[in-house]
Amino acid sequence: MDKLEQYRSYIKQMLKKYASHPSLNPTIEREFICDTESDRYQIVNMGWDKHRRIYGCSMHLDIKNGKIWIQHNMTDVDIAEELVNMGVPKQDIVLGFHSPFMRQFTDYAVS
């Protein structure tokens, strides 16, 4: 399996696992969105909390130029560390939620 297919597999495996965790609010549904053509992967939460609409992305990862970009993470899960534990080198992970300037101070790729 080539690197791109392996990264797709790792991301899908990880996000499917988190999307399967039930919400504390039974009226909130978690949905795993997977676009392998554009290499965009998300977990979206949606539903109703009484009269208030809930909709938002809790995790968003992309694959760009052979690297995994963590675009958004609204959880306490260290996605980057999980990817490293799966076998992704730190130089192939970009913390896209940090500014380009701040990325140089992490152990991960700048871009």
mmCIF file of all heavy atoms in Angstrom, residues 17-49:
data_model
loop_
_atom_site.group_PDB
_atom_site.id
_atom_site.type_symbol
_atom_site.label_atom_id
_atom_site.label_comp_id
_atom_site.label_asym_id
_atom_site.label_seq_id
_atom_site.Cartn_x
_atom_site.Cartn_y
_atom_site.Cartn_z
ATOM 1 N N LYS A 17 -13.768 5.650 14.432
ATOM 2 C CA LYS A 17 -13.792 5.271 15.847
ATOM 3 C C LYS A 17 -14.426 6.389 16.680
ATOM 4 O O LYS A 17 -15.320 6.141 17.485
ATOM 5 C CB LYS A 17 -12.367 4.991 16.337
ATOM 6 C CG LYS A 17 -12.256 4.706 17.823
ATOM 7 C CD LYS A 17 -10.824 4.411 18.245
ATOM 8 C CE LYS A 17 -9.989 5.667 18.257
ATOM 9 N NZ LYS A 17 -8.654 5.481 18.826
ATOM 10 N N TYR A 18 -13.995 7.630 16.468
ATOM 11 C CA TYR A 18 -14.539 8.741 17.255
ATOM 12 C C TYR A 18 -15.975 9.074 16.871
ATOM 13 O O TYR A 18 -16.773 9.459 17.716
ATOM 14 C CB TYR A 18 -13.631 9.964 17.170
ATOM 15 C CG TYR A 18 -12.351 9.734 17.923
ATOM 16 C CD1 TYR A 18 -11.133 9.691 17.273
ATOM 17 C CD2 TYR A 18 -12.372 9.496 19.304
ATOM 18 C CE1 TYR A 18 -9.971 9.429 17.978
ATOM 19 C CE2 TYR A 18 -11.220 9.231 20.001
ATOM 20 C CZ TYR A 18 -10.008 9.204 19.334
ATOM 21 O OH TYR A 18 -8.870 8.930 20.028
ATOM 22 N N ALA A 19 -16.322 8.907 15.610
ATOM 23 C CA ALA A 19 -17.702 9.176 15.187
ATOM 24 C C ALA A 19 -18.667 8.153 15.775
ATOM 25 O O ALA A 19 -19.850 8.449 15.950
ATOM 26 C CB ALA A 19 -17.796 9.172 13.668
ATOM 27 N N SER A 20 -18.174 6.973 16.114
ATOM 28 C CA SER A 20 -19.049 5.938 16.663
ATOM 29 C C SER A 20 -19.327 6.127 18.149
ATOM 30 O O SER A 20 -20.234 5.497 18.687
ATOM 31 C CB SER A 20 -18.447 4.553 16.430
ATOM 32 O OG SER A 20 -17.319 4.353 17.261
ATOM 33 N N HIS A 21 -18.575 7.004 18.828
ATOM 34 C CA HIS A 21 -18.842 7.263 20.247
ATOM 35 C C HIS A 21 -20.177 7.994 20.379
ATOM 36 O O HIS A 21 -20.393 9.017 19.720
ATOM 37 C CB HIS A 21 -17.745 8.122 20.866
ATOM 38 C CG HIS A 21 -16.436 7.415 20.986
ATOM 39 N ND1 HIS A 21 -15.291 8.051 21.376
ATOM 40 C CD2 HIS A 21 -16.066 6.130 20.784
ATOM 41 C CE1 HIS A 21 -14.292 7.196 21.403
ATOM 42 N NE2 HIS A 21 -14.739 6.023 21.034
ATOM 43 N N PRO A 22 -21.048 7.512 21.220
ATOM 44 C CA PRO A 22 -22.345 8.192 21.363
ATOM 45 C C PRO A 22 -22.191 9.561 22.032
ATOM 46 O O PRO A 22 -21.339 9.752 22.896
ATOM 47 C CB PRO A 22 -23.156 7.237 22.244
ATOM 48 C CG PRO A 22 -22.151 6.398 22.946
ATOM 49 C CD PRO A 22 -20.935 6.331 22.070
ATOM 50 N N SER A 23 -23.018 10.471 21.616
ATOM 51 C CA SER A 23 -23.035 11.801 22.208
ATOM 52 C C SER A 23 -23.658 11.732 23.596
ATOM 53 O O SER A 23 -24.507 10.885 23.871
ATOM 54 C CB SER A 23 -23.856 12.740 21.313
ATOM 55 O OG SER A 23 -24.044 13.978 21.941
ATOM 56 N N LEU A 24 -23.242 12.623 24.476
ATOM 57 C CA LEU A 24 -23.869 12.702 25.791
ATOM 58 C C LEU A 24 -25.324 13.122 25.676
ATOM 59 O O LEU A 24 -26.142 12.790 26.516
ATOM 60 C CB LEU A 24 -23.102 13.673 26.690
ATOM 61 C CG LEU A 24 -21.665 13.262 27.029
ATOM 62 C CD1 LEU A 24 -20.977 14.348 27.841
ATOM 63 C CD2 LEU A 24 -21.653 11.942 27.782
ATOM 64 N N ASN A 25 -25.623 13.862 24.629
ATOM 65 C CA ASN A 25 -26.994 14.276 24.342
ATOM 66 C C ASN A 25 -27.531 13.348 23.249
ATOM 67 O O ASN A 25 -27.053 13.388 22.115
ATOM 68 C CB ASN A 25 -27.013 15.731 23.873
ATOM 69 C CG ASN A 25 -28.400 16.232 23.585
ATOM 70 O OD1 ASN A 25 -29.319 15.472 23.330
ATOM 71 N ND2 ASN A 25 -28.564 17.548 23.612
ATOM 72 N N PRO A 26 -28.516 12.510 23.564
ATOM 73 C CA PRO A 26 -28.996 11.533 22.571
ATOM 74 C C PRO A 26 -29.655 12.158 21.340
ATOM 75 O O PRO A 26 -29.866 11.469 20.345
ATOM 76 C CB PRO A 26 -29.994 10.682 23.354
ATOM 77 C CG PRO A 26 -30.388 11.509 24.531
ATOM 78 C CD PRO A 26 -29.230 12.414 24.833
ATOM 79 N N THR A 27 -29.955 13.449 21.373
ATOM 80 C CA THR A 27 -30.548 14.094 20.203
ATOM 81 C C THR A 27 -29.485 14.644 19.253
ATOM 82 O O THR A 27 -29.821 15.162 18.198
ATOM 83 C CB THR A 27 -31.504 15.231 20.624
ATOM 84 O OG1 THR A 27 -30.748 16.267 21.250
ATOM 85 C CG2 THR A 27 -32.589 14.722 21.557
ATOM 86 N N ILE A 28 -28.214 14.522 19.634
ATOM 87 C CA ILE A 28 -27.116 14.983 18.785
ATOM 88 C C ILE A 28 -26.510 13.773 18.081
ATOM 89 O O ILE A 28 -26.104 12.804 18.705
ATOM 90 C CB ILE A 28 -26.023 15.717 19.596
ATOM 91 C CG1 ILE A 28 -26.614 16.872 20.403
ATOM 92 C CG2 ILE A 28 -24.900 16.185 18.689
ATOM 93 C CD1 ILE A 28 -27.283 17.934 19.575
ATOM 94 N N GLU A 29 -26.428 13.865 16.785
ATOM 95 C CA GLU A 29 -25.904 12.782 15.945
ATOM 96 C C GLU A 29 -24.502 13.152 15.469
ATOM 97 O O GLU A 29 -24.221 14.308 15.161
ATOM 98 C CB GLU A 29 -26.858 12.638 14.755
ATOM 99 C CG GLU A 29 -26.449 11.702 13.700
ATOM 100 C CD GLU A 29 -27.430 11.739 12.523
ATOM 101 O OE1 GLU A 29 -28.536 12.293 12.651
ATOM 102 O OE2 GLU A 29 -27.058 11.217 11.470
ATOM 103 N N ARG A 30 -23.627 12.158 15.432
ATOM 104 C CA ARG A 30 -22.272 12.358 14.887
ATOM 105 C C ARG A 30 -22.211 11.713 13.513
ATOM 106 O O ARG A 30 -22.663 10.590 13.332
ATOM 107 C CB ARG A 30 -21.225 11.713 15.791
ATOM 108 C CG ARG A 30 -20.990 12.482 17.026
ATOM 109 C CD ARG A 30 -19.630 12.140 17.631
ATOM 110 N NE ARG A 30 -19.438 12.998 18.774
ATOM 111 C CZ ARG A 30 -19.596 12.608 20.029
ATOM 112 N NH1 ARG A 30 -19.922 11.368 20.308
ATOM 113 N NH2 ARG A 30 -19.422 13.457 21.009
ATOM 114 N N GLU A 31 -21.618 12.430 12.574
ATOM 115 C CA GLU A 31 -21.524 11.919 11.215
ATOM 116 C C GLU A 31 -20.086 12.008 10.735
ATOM 117 O O GLU A 31 -19.448 13.054 10.858
ATOM 118 C CB GLU A 31 -22.435 12.742 10.310
ATOM 119 C CG GLU A 31 -22.525 12.242 8.905
ATOM 120 C CD GLU A 31 -23.560 13.024 8.113
ATOM 121 O OE1 GLU A 31 -24.765 12.771 8.287
ATOM 122 O OE2 GLU A 31 -23.141 13.908 7.333
ATOM 123 N N PHE A 32 -19.580 10.911 10.199
ATOM 124 C CA PHE A 32 -18.243 10.885 9.598
ATOM 125 C C PHE A 32 -18.382 11.212 8.121
ATOM 126 O O PHE A 32 -19.126 10.549 7.399
ATOM 127 C CB PHE A 32 -17.606 9.506 9.795
ATOM 128 C CG PHE A 32 -16.341 9.291 9.016
ATOM 129 C CD1 PHE A 32 -15.278 10.162 9.139
ATOM 130 C CD2 PHE A 32 -16.213 8.209 8.166
ATOM 131 C CE1 PHE A 32 -14.104 9.961 8.425
ATOM 132 C CE2 PHE A 32 -15.057 7.990 7.452
ATOM 133 C CZ PHE A 32 -14.002 8.872 7.578
ATOM 134 N N ILE A 33 -17.695 12.231 7.679
ATOM 135 C CA ILE A 33 -17.731 12.649 6.276
ATOM 136 C C ILE A 33 -16.368 12.347 5.664
ATOM 137 O O ILE A 33 -15.335 12.776 6.190
ATOM 138 C CB ILE A 33 -18.074 14.146 6.149
ATOM 139 C CG1 ILE A 33 -19.457 14.394 6.748
ATOM 140 C CG2 ILE A 33 -17.994 14.597 4.697
ATOM 141 C CD1 ILE A 33 -19.829 15.850 6.871
ATOM 142 N N CYS A 34 -16.390 11.614 4.567
ATOM 143 C CA CYS A 34 -15.155 11.123 3.959
ATOM 144 C C CYS A 34 -15.181 11.423 2.464
ATOM 145 O O CYS A 34 -16.016 10.885 1.741
ATOM 146 C CB CYS A 34 -15.056 9.623 4.217
ATOM 147 S SG CYS A 34 -13.700 8.797 3.409
ATOM 148 N N ASP A 35 -14.288 12.277 2.006
ATOM 149 C CA ASP A 35 -14.161 12.594 0.591
ATOM 150 C C ASP A 35 -12.754 12.192 0.154
ATOM 151 O O ASP A 35 -11.819 12.972 0.280
ATOM 152 C CB ASP A 35 -14.422 14.082 0.371
ATOM 153 C CG ASP A 35 -14.220 14.524 -1.068
ATOM 154 O OD1 ASP A 35 -13.885 13.680 -1.925
ATOM 155 O OD2 ASP A 35 -14.366 15.726 -1.334
ATOM 156 N N THR A 36 -12.613 10.960 -0.333
ATOM 157 C CA THR A 36 -11.284 10.483 -0.716
ATOM 158 C C THR A 36 -10.814 11.070 -2.049
ATOM 159 O O THR A 36 -9.629 11.036 -2.346
ATOM 160 C CB THR A 36 -11.252 8.939 -0.796
ATOM 161 O OG1 THR A 36 -12.291 8.493 -1.655
ATOM 162 C CG2 THR A 36 -11.419 8.323 0.579
ATOM 163 N N GLU A 37 -11.732 11.619 -2.823
ATOM 164 C CA GLU A 37 -11.335 12.259 -4.080
ATOM 165 C C GLU A 37 -10.575 13.559 -3.813
ATOM 166 O O GLU A 37 -9.569 13.846 -4.448
ATOM 167 C CB GLU A 37 -12.568 12.533 -4.941
ATOM 168 C CG GLU A 37 -12.234 12.982 -6.341
ATOM 169 C CD GLU A 37 -13.471 13.101 -7.200
ATOM 170 O OE1 GLU A 37 -14.278 12.150 -7.229
ATOM 171 O OE2 GLU A 37 -13.625 14.157 -7.848
ATOM 172 N N SER A 38 -11.052 14.344 -2.850
ATOM 173 C CA SER A 38 -10.386 15.599 -2.477
ATOM 174 C C SER A 38 -9.549 15.451 -1.215
ATOM 175 O O SER A 38 -8.901 16.404 -0.792
ATOM 176 C CB SER A 38 -11.430 16.700 -2.249
ATOM 177 O OG SER A 38 -12.188 16.912 -3.404
ATOM 178 N N ASP A 39 -9.581 14.279 -0.592
ATOM 179 C CA ASP A 39 -8.861 13.996 0.652
ATOM 180 C C ASP A 39 -9.238 14.959 1.770
ATOM 181 O O ASP A 39 -8.393 15.607 2.380
ATOM 182 C CB ASP A 39 -7.346 13.962 0.428
ATOM 183 C CG ASP A 39 -6.917 12.655 -0.208
ATOM 184 O OD1 ASP A 39 -7.403 11.594 0.232
ATOM 185 O OD2 ASP A 39 -6.105 12.678 -1.153
ATOM 186 N N ARG A 40 -10.528 15.009 2.055
ATOM 187 C CA ARG A 40 -11.074 15.803 3.154
ATOM 188 C C ARG A 40 -11.885 14.870 4.044
ATOM 189 O O ARG A 40 -12.706 14.086 3.554
ATOM 190 C CB ARG A 40 -11.976 16.907 2.626
ATOM 191 C CG ARG A 40 -11.335 17.722 1.519
ATOM 192 C CD ARG A 40 -11.389 19.192 1.797
ATOM 193 N NE ARG A 40 -10.885 19.985 0.699
ATOM 194 C CZ ARG A 40 -9.605 20.259 0.493
ATOM 195 N NH1 ARG A 40 -8.701 19.776 1.292
ATOM 196 N NH2 ARG A 40 -9.224 21.026 -0.506
ATOM 197 N N TYR A 41 -11.661 14.973 5.363
ATOM 198 C CA TYR A 41 -12.278 14.062 6.317
ATOM 199 C C TYR A 41 -12.737 14.852 7.533
ATOM 200 O O TYR A 41 -11.967 15.645 8.070
ATOM 201 C CB TYR A 41 -11.268 12.979 6.739
ATOM 202 C CG TYR A 41 -10.621 12.303 5.550
ATOM 203 C CD1 TYR A 41 -9.480 12.844 4.958
ATOM 204 C CD2 TYR A 41 -11.175 11.167 4.992
ATOM 205 C CE1 TYR A 41 -8.902 12.248 3.848
ATOM 206 C CE2 TYR A 41 -10.609 10.558 3.879
ATOM 207 C CZ TYR A 41 -9.457 11.109 3.314
ATOM 208 O OH TYR A 41 -8.898 10.518 2.208
ATOM 209 N N GLN A 42 -13.986 14.629 7.950
ATOM 210 C CA GLN A 42 -14.539 15.391 9.074
ATOM 211 C C GLN A 42 -15.470 14.538 9.921
ATOM 212 O O GLN A 42 -16.047 13.558 9.446
ATOM 213 C CB GLN A 42 -15.364 16.579 8.578
ATOM 214 C CG GLN A 42 -14.614 17.619 7.830
ATOM 215 C CD GLN A 42 -15.518 18.781 7.426
ATOM 216 O OE1 GLN A 42 -16.733 18.737 7.570
ATOM 217 N NE2 GLN A 42 -14.912 19.827 6.923
ATOM 218 N N ILE A 43 -15.624 14.980 11.156
ATOM 219 C CA ILE A 43 -16.718 14.515 12.005
ATOM 220 C C ILE A 43 -17.570 15.739 12.283
ATOM 221 O O ILE A 43 -17.066 16.767 12.745
ATOM 222 C CB ILE A 43 -16.225 13.904 13.331
ATOM 223 C CG1 ILE A 43 -15.437 12.629 13.069
ATOM 224 C CG2 ILE A 43 -17.418 13.615 14.247
ATOM 225 C CD1 ILE A 43 -14.861 12.006 14.316
ATOM 226 N N VAL A 44 -18.860 15.616 11.969
ATOM 227 C CA VAL A 44 -19.803 16.717 12.164
ATOM 228 C C VAL A 44 -20.850 16.276 13.186
ATOM 229 O O VAL A 44 -21.339 15.145 13.134
ATOM 230 C CB VAL A 44 -20.483 17.104 10.831
ATOM 231 C CG1 VAL A 44 -21.550 18.151 11.046
ATOM 232 C CG2 VAL A 44 -19.443 17.598 9.838
ATOM 233 N N ASN A 45 -21.147 17.167 14.116
ATOM 234 C CA ASN A 45 -22.208 16.930 15.108
ATOM 235 C C ASN A 45 -23.420 17.751 14.712
ATOM 236 O O ASN A 45 -23.283 18.930 14.372
ATOM 237 C CB ASN A 45 -21.733 17.347 16.500
ATOM 238 C CG ASN A 45 -20.494 16.596 16.916
ATOM 239 O OD1 ASN A 45 -20.487 15.378 16.954
ATOM 240 N ND2 ASN A 45 -19.426 17.314 17.197
ATOM 241 N N MET A 46 -24.597 17.113 14.765
ATOM 242 C CA MET A 46 -25.805 17.848 14.393
ATOM 243 C C MET A 46 -27.016 17.297 15.129
ATOM 244 O O MET A 46 -27.032 16.136 15.531
ATOM 245 C CB MET A 46 -26.022 17.783 12.891
ATOM 246 C CG MET A 46 -26.316 16.401 12.373
ATOM 247 S SD MET A 46 -26.313 16.391 10.602
ATOM 248 C CE MET A 46 -24.796 15.504 10.329
ATOM 249 N N GLY A 47 -27.968 18.170 15.346
ATOM 250 C CA GLY A 47 -29.194 17.784 16.019
ATOM 251 C C GLY A 47 -29.798 18.979 16.731
ATOM 252 O O GLY A 47 -29.556 20.125 16.360
ATOM 253 N N TRP A 48 -30.564 18.682 17.769
ATOM 254 C CA TRP A 48 -31.252 19.728 18.515
ATOM 255 C C TRP A 48 -31.022 19.550 20.003
ATOM 256 O O TRP A 48 -31.041 18.440 20.523
ATOM 257 C CB TRP A 48 -32.751 19.695 18.225
ATOM 258 C CG TRP A 48 -33.056 20.134 16.830
ATOM 259 C CD1 TRP A 48 -33.143 19.346 15.720
ATOM 260 C CD2 TRP A 48 -33.275 21.465 16.393
ATOM 261 N NE1 TRP A 48 -33.402 20.105 14.612
ATOM 262 C CE2 TRP A 48 -33.496 21.421 15.005
ATOM 263 C CE3 TRP A 48 -33.310 22.701 17.031
ATOM 264 C CZ2 TRP A 48 -33.746 22.554 14.239
ATOM 265 C CZ3 TRP A 48 -33.568 23.828 16.269
ATOM 266 C CH2 TRP A 48 -33.783 23.746 14.905
ATOM 267 N N ASP A 49 -30.787 20.654 20.676
ATOM 268 C CA ASP A 49 -30.723 20.697 22.136
ATOM 269 C C ASP A 49 -31.891 21.578 22.566
ATOM 270 O O ASP A 49 -31.787 22.806 22.544
ATOM 271 C CB ASP A 49 -29.385 21.258 22.606
ATOM 272 C CG ASP A 49 -29.220 21.226 24.109
ATOM 273 O OD1 ASP A 49 -30.016 20.534 24.783
ATOM 274 O OD2 ASP A 49 -28.302 21.893 24.612
#
